[in-house]
Amino acid sequence: MRTNKMCAILGNAHESRELLPLTEKRPLATLPFDCKYRLLDFALSNVVNANIKSVYMVFNQGRTKSVFDHIGGGREWHLDSIESRFFIHFYQDVLQKRADGENYYEAAIDYLKKSKSEYTVFIGNKMICNIDLRGVLKSHQSNDSKLTVVYKKMPKDQIAYQDLILTINENGQVEEQNRFYDEQSDTELKNLCMNIFIMNTKWLIYALEEGQKKGGPASMQEFLALCMELYPTTAYEYTGFLSNVFDIKSYYEANMSMLEPKKFSSLLYADRKIFTKLKNEVATYYSGDSDVRNSQFATGCIVEGVVRNSLFSRNAHVEKQAEIHDSVVMANAVIKKGAIVKYAILDKNVEIEAGVKVTGTPEKPIVIKKGQKIKEDIFGGE
């Protein structure tokens, strides 16, 4: 595929209050995942694996520090070459221009025109997947629709109340869309819209220009959802691994699913590589007293205690006689001697003091906020 066949817009403005306190100081897109990744890595990797060199990212103002820390110059995603470029724009600027009656899609339209790309892909920020966008493009090229939208059949318990559910006719066209809370069918599997769209760039520019004249949504994702009602849209079914992250439980389960070999391999060891920020650190150290089963560790950890069914980010420390079960532990966490942690999410720089017990449940894992020192027992999400 020639370099500028497609350009990409990554919409990262969506935030979910149900993910607090994990997203209190970071956007949803930079939530850690499976020890060494961030959610944003999957959208970026899907883009660069399709040989897309031009990327436009939208974020909320004041929530980009972790984004810049992670992306840097874009080297890991090959976005730092002469022929590549990426841009970051603030969603609040779009909202302000819309409120002032100005052309609020002006920056996006300018980007699209300068990209000189024939097609544009839009990707939302809460779906974890490894998708072949070139395959989606081929599907789009083979039909006469203005839009192609990606969906996956998902069980009800993995869908958020505000997610879009698609009704698809026998010709593969989107016939209707409803929010999950309005969806009337009683089938167990729903056609979940993955907020991935492909369209002709010239048409998208026209649609955006017309849409802002009529006061359309400021959110590109909401705008494209509206377009599905106004223009012929073809549905592309994705059948690979998907995690829909919209609350604490879904985030916890997404991480824990990586302990299942089939799901782990499907997402991370497909033909398409997932790229992330690289760090040259020492390997994790396991002492002779450690007892580890069915767990994953990033680099730089020290393990002296008991670990079961858990995932650890970089530089975490499990001291002697400490136990960690069914938990997600982020960078620089310390679980001190004799402490017991079960069904928990420990954010960065958390310390669990010696002998303390932190116990949640599979349905309601306990979240310990970034930088907290826990000196007393916590049970059942209290």
Side-chain angles (χ1 to χ4, degrees):
M1 183 184 299
R2 65 181 173 83
T3 300
N4 65 339
K5 185 78 169 179
M6 274 199 290
C7 65
I9 297 177
L10 306 188
N12 294 291
H14 171 81
E15 297 291 343
S16 174
R17 292 189 58 83
E18 288 77 9
L19 279 162
L20 292 171
L22 292 175
T23 54
E24 191 172 69
K25 295 183 180 180
R26 60 165 75 91
L28 189 157
T30 60
L31 273 177
F33 177 77
D34 190 36
C35 304
K36 68 176 184 178
Y37 299 97
R38 304 291 183 114
L39 266 60
L40 178 61
D41 291 337
F42 295 88
L44 278 175
S45 298
N46 288 329
V47 162
V48 299
N49 285 331
N51 201 31
I52 296 172
K53 304 293 186 180
S54 180
V55 184
Y56 179 89
M57 292 178 271
V58 180
F59 287 94
N60 287 301
Q61 194 168 356
R63 298 176 65 82
T64 55
K65 182 180 182 298
S66 62
V67 176
F68 288 113
D69 286 347
H70 186 64
I71 296 178
R75 178 172 59 88
E76 283 83 0
W77 300 271
H78 314 298
L79 293 173
D80 61 341
S81 66
I82 294 175
E83 61 180 4
S84 302
R85 56 184 186 155
F86 69 94
F87 307 89
I88 290 180
H89 192 70
F90 294 122
Y91 181 53
Q92 281 66 29
D93 181 59
V94 181
L95 289 173
Q96 186 60 54
K97 286 187 175 181
R98 186 174 186 272
D100 293 341
E102 299 178 20
N103 293 329
Y104 47 95
Y105 278 134
E106 181 181 22
I109 291 170
D110 183 60
Y111 162 77
L112 292 169
K113 289 179 177 178
K114 290 179 178 178
S115 75
K116 295 182 170 57
S117 298
E118 188 174 354
Y119 301 96
T120 300
V121 58
F122 174 91
I123 304 178
N125 65 338
K126 70 189 191 81
M127 307 281 180
I128 301 173
C129 66
N130 188 339
I131 186 171
D132 181 8
L133 292 174
R134 289 171 293 190
V136 185
L137 176 61
K138 287 181 181 178
S139 174
H140 178 74
Q141 291 171 322
S142 67
N143 63 70
D144 295 326
S145 297
K146 298 298 185 183
L147 284 163
T148 293
V149 61
V150 181
Y151 76 97
K152 180 175 171 62
K153 296 183 184 297
M154 293 287 281
K156 296 177 182 178
D157 63 353
Q158 295 179 37
I159 302 175
Y161 69 95
Q162 76 273 30
D163 283 337
L164 280 178
I165 305 301
L166 306 179
T167 300
I168 301 165
N169 64 26
E170 59 185 12
N171 297 318
Q173 300 287 308
V174 176
E175 214 168 59
E176 188 179 8
Q177 57 171 303
N178 292 289
R179 298 292 175 184
F180 182 50
Y181 53 73
D182 284 333
E183 222 275 331
Q184 299 298 315
S185 71
D186 57 1
T187 56
E188 179 59 31
L189 293 177
K190 305 290 185 181
N191 297 327
L192 173 65
C193 174
M194 290 173 55
N195 301 321
I196 299 176
F197 301 85
I198 284 185
M199 57 234 108
N200 291 56
T201 302
K202 287 183 178 180
W203 172 83
L204 178 58
I205 292 171
Y206 164 78
L208 289 171
E209 290 174 339
E210 291 300 306
Q212 67 185 0
K213 290 177 184 177
K214 299 174 182 178
S219 163
M220 181 79 74
Q221 184 170 301
E222 292 180 12
F223 175 80
L224 293 173
L226 177 62
C227 285
M228 286 196 290
E229 298 179 355
L230 303 175
Y231 301 96
T233 303
T234 296
Y236 178 96
E237 183 178 6
Y238 170 72
T239 57
F241 174 88
L242 175 68
S243 275
N244 179 20
V245 177
F246 55 89
D247 61 11
I248 294 297
K249 184 172 181 285
S250 63
Y251 173 72
Y252 172 80
E253 291 178 344
N255 277 278
M256 299 306 291
S257 70
M258 291 296 95
L259 296 176
E260 301 177 40
K262 186 175 180 180
K263 293 180 179 179
F264 177 80
S265 298
S266 175
L267 180 64
L268 297 171
Y269 284 88
D271 294 336
R272 299 168 299 278
K273 183 178 179 180
I274 301 299
F275 302 92
T276 190
K277 182 180 180 179
L278 299 177
K279 286 191 176 181
N280 294 320
E281 296 178 327
V282 298
T284 286
Y285 168 76
Y286 303 89
S287 76
D289 296 324
S290 66
D291 183 358
V292 178
R293 300 181 189 177
N294 192 37
S295 298
Q296 295 179 17
F297 294 81
T299 54
C301 297
I302 298 174
V303 187
E304 301 173 287
V306 175
V307 179
R308 299 283 188 273
N309 308 316
S310 298
L311 302 103
F312 285 74
S313 296
R314 297 177 173 102
N315 301 314
H317 186 180
V318 183
E319 294 186 358
K320 292 180 180 180
Q321 299 174 26
E323 295 186 24
I324 309 294
H325 300 260
D326 304 282
S327 295
V328 177
V329 181
M330 298 187 194
N332 304 310
V334 178
I335 300 90
K336 295 187 176 180
K337 184 177 180 179
I340 298 176
V341 177
K342 295 182 178 180
Y343 301 110
I345 301 172
L346 308 186
D347 210 331
K348 294 175 64 176
N349 303 313
V350 162
E351 290 186 14
I352 309 297
E353 294 294 332
V356 170
K357 295 180 180 179
V358 176
T359 305
T361 67
E363 292 300 312
K364 193 175 182 181
I366 287 178
V367 178
I368 306 300
K369 292 173 63 173
K370 186 184 297 185
Q372 282 195 321
K373 294 184 179 181
I374 305 302
K375 300 179 180 180
E376 298 180 354
D377 294 348
I378 304 176
F379 295 100
E382 297 176 352

